[in-house]
Amino acid sequence: MSSLPTSIRPSSDEVKQGKLTPQNVEVAIRSLYHDGLVVVENAIPHDCLDRLNSKMVQDAYTLQSRKQDSPYNYNPGNIQQDAPPMREFFDQKIFMNSIATQITSTALGPRPKWTFCSGNTAMPPTAETPPMSQPVHSDADFDHPSHPFALVINVPLITMTPENGSTEVWLGTHKDSGLHVQEGQHGERASGRIKQDELEQRRAVRPPCQPTVPKGSVVIRDLRLWHAGIGNQTDDVRVMLAMIHFAPWYRNPMRLELADDLKPQIEDQSNLEVPVDWVTVEQAKDRYLNRAFGNAYDFSQGN
């Protein structure tokens, strides 16, 4: 089995219509079933990515300046970072991409619930923070179903390469996920770590890879898949957004916090269930950079 993920390159008509052909949907679902991950290239125009990236790079340095008080994941060079949740920076082609939603609603059921929107930023190295990798871990660091229940939509704002911190992925490990292969308690910065002996056994069967993901792509990943953030060795900040769609039956109680100038865009769509706590634009500006580190979020079912 290949260690490289499947990439779908939709036609210009598919991109224009925001809808894959049945044949490409089949490839996506097969890849999610077997590998736990699929890449769809050319799904997002570059101009909207550039605009958002410019703002989020500025914000990344603001967060980095907080040092040990920044919302870092495992190590200070890997920062949990929310995008600005107001209309000025919100483009539906990025955050509510119709091709991504077509795939998640096929895999999870109609109108999946979008209850998490954040990002992961690999910072350029400094004398204080040399390039460091995360331990291999699963984001499903809690007792969870053995069948698909949540898919992460990752959107890199620039081309993601091994040099700038492309995520290391262990394809197929979503089927081996569970607390029995993990170390660390939920809520700790380093929860969900995969035990070393499990890693070595898996490496002998299907080693990990660190793929290059072209700008404009969406990466859809099973929440249970083993992966690790890798240190950025370049001078460029590498931002990767992360939206999570949960199955409509999955009872996760989380809610998004969005500026109320986004109400028309959210309420006019019907493909996703989006639980939202609305705040004013000024409140959103004051609060979106004061979020928790990644493992502090609870993706489990409420009851």
Side-chain angles (χ1 to χ4, degrees), residues 74 135-138 140-143 178-195 295:
Y74 300 97
V136 180
H137 64 280
S138 169
D141 61 346
F142 52 90
D143 191 22
L179 295 178
H180 64 288
V181 300
Q182 298 179 19
E183 299 176 323
Q185 298 298 311
H186 169 72
E188 299 174 354
R189 284 194 188 269
S191 63
R193 302 185 312 278
I194 306 302
K195 296 176 181 178
N295 287 348

Side-chain angles (χ1 to χ4, degrees), residues 43-45 48-49 51-53 56 81-98 100-101 114 116-119 153 155 157 218 239-245 256 258 262 265-266 269 272 274:
I44 302 174
C48 58
L49 294 172
R51 189 162 178 274
L52 181 60
N53 188 59
M56 292 193 70
Q81 180 182 357
D82 280 19
M86 65 280 299
R87 186 176 59 190
E88 180 182 0
F89 298 101
F90 186 96
D91 194 301
Q92 287 180 292
K93 297 183 187 71
I94 298 175
F95 293 97
M96 304 173 72
N97 184 272
S98 58
T101 302
W114 176 30
F116 180 81
C117 183
S118 188
I153 300 170
V155 177
L157 300 188
V218 294
V239 180
M240 180 181 70
L241 302 178
M243 288 77 74
I244 302 181
H245 291 184
L256 300 182
L258 302 175
L262 282 173
Q265 292 188 54
I266 300 298
Q269 63 82 39
L272 293 168
V274 191

Side-chain angles (χ1 to χ4, degrees), residues 51-67:
R51 189 162 178 274
L52 181 60
N53 188 59
S54 179
K55 173 60 174 171
M56 292 193 70
V57 167
Q58 295 176 16
D59 289 346
Y61 283 114
T62 297
L63 292 173
Q64 185 185 49
S65 70
R66 298 176 186 176
K67 300 183 184 289

Side-chain angles (χ1 to χ4, degrees), residues 46-277:
H46 288 194
D47 56 348
C48 58
L49 294 172
D50 292 340
R51 189 162 178 274
L52 181 60
N53 188 59
S54 179
K55 173 60 174 171
M56 292 193 70
V57 167
Q58 295 176 16
D59 289 346
Y61 283 114
T62 297
L63 292 173
Q64 185 185 49
S65 70
R66 298 176 186 176
K67 300 183 184 289
Q68 291 299 315
D69 292 328
S70 72
Y72 64 87
N73 294 314
Y74 300 97
N75 64 74
N78 192 290
I79 297 174
Q80 189 76 28
Q81 180 182 357
D82 280 19
M86 65 280 299
R87 186 176 59 190
E88 180 182 0
F89 298 101
F90 186 96
D91 194 301
Q92 287 180 292
K93 297 183 187 71
I94 298 175
F95 293 97
M96 304 173 72
N97 184 272
S98 58
I99 288 177
T101 302
Q102 180 189 18
I103 294 170
T104 62
S105 61
T106 302
L108 299 173
R111 295 193 77 231
K113 288 186 287 188
W114 176 30
T115 65
F116 180 81
C117 183
S118 188
N120 176 279
T121 299
M123 297 300 294
T126 67
E128 292 181 338
T129 57
M132 294 178 62
S133 297
Q134 297 177 346
V136 180
H137 64 280
S138 169
D139 292 337
D141 61 346
F142 52 90
D143 191 22
H144 56 264
S146 59
H147 51 285
F149 66 95
L151 295 171
V152 184
I153 300 170
N154 285 133
V155 177
L157 300 188
I158 62 175
T159 293
M160 199 159 56
T161 67
E163 291 74 27
N164 68 16
S166 175
T167 304
E168 177 185 277
V169 292
W170 294 63
L171 299 182
T173 53
H174 59 304
K175 297 181 179 181
D176 301 318
S177 179
L179 295 178
H180 64 288
V181 300
Q182 298 179 19
E183 299 176 323
Q185 298 298 311
H186 169 72
E188 299 174 354
R189 284 194 188 269
S191 63
R193 302 185 312 278
I194 306 302
K195 296 176 181 178
Q196 193 61 41
D197 60 333
E198 298 286 346
L199 290 176
E200 296 312 313
Q201 290 178 36
R202 184 67 190 182
R203 193 186 302 275
V205 175
R206 194 177 188 185
C209 71
Q210 203 184 347
T212 294
V213 180
K215 181 179 176 181
S217 301
V218 294
V219 181
I220 301 176
R221 167 176 65 84
D222 193 299
L223 185 74
R224 300 169 294 170
L225 193 76
W226 303 359
H227 63 284
I230 304 298
N232 184 351
Q233 302 176 57
T234 74
D235 295 329
D236 297 321
V237 175
R238 188 238 67 200
V239 180
M240 180 181 70
L241 302 178
M243 288 77 74
I244 302 181
H245 291 184
F246 291 95
W249 51 264
Y250 190 77
R251 299 174 300 281
N252 177 265
M254 293 173 59
R255 300 170 66 85
L256 300 182
E257 182 176 280
L258 302 175
D260 54 15
D261 65 350
L262 282 173
K263 270 190 177 183
Q265 292 188 54
I266 300 298
E267 294 180 348
D268 285 351
Q269 63 82 39
S270 59
N271 294 326
L272 293 168
E273 179 183 348
V274 191
V276 180
D277 291 325

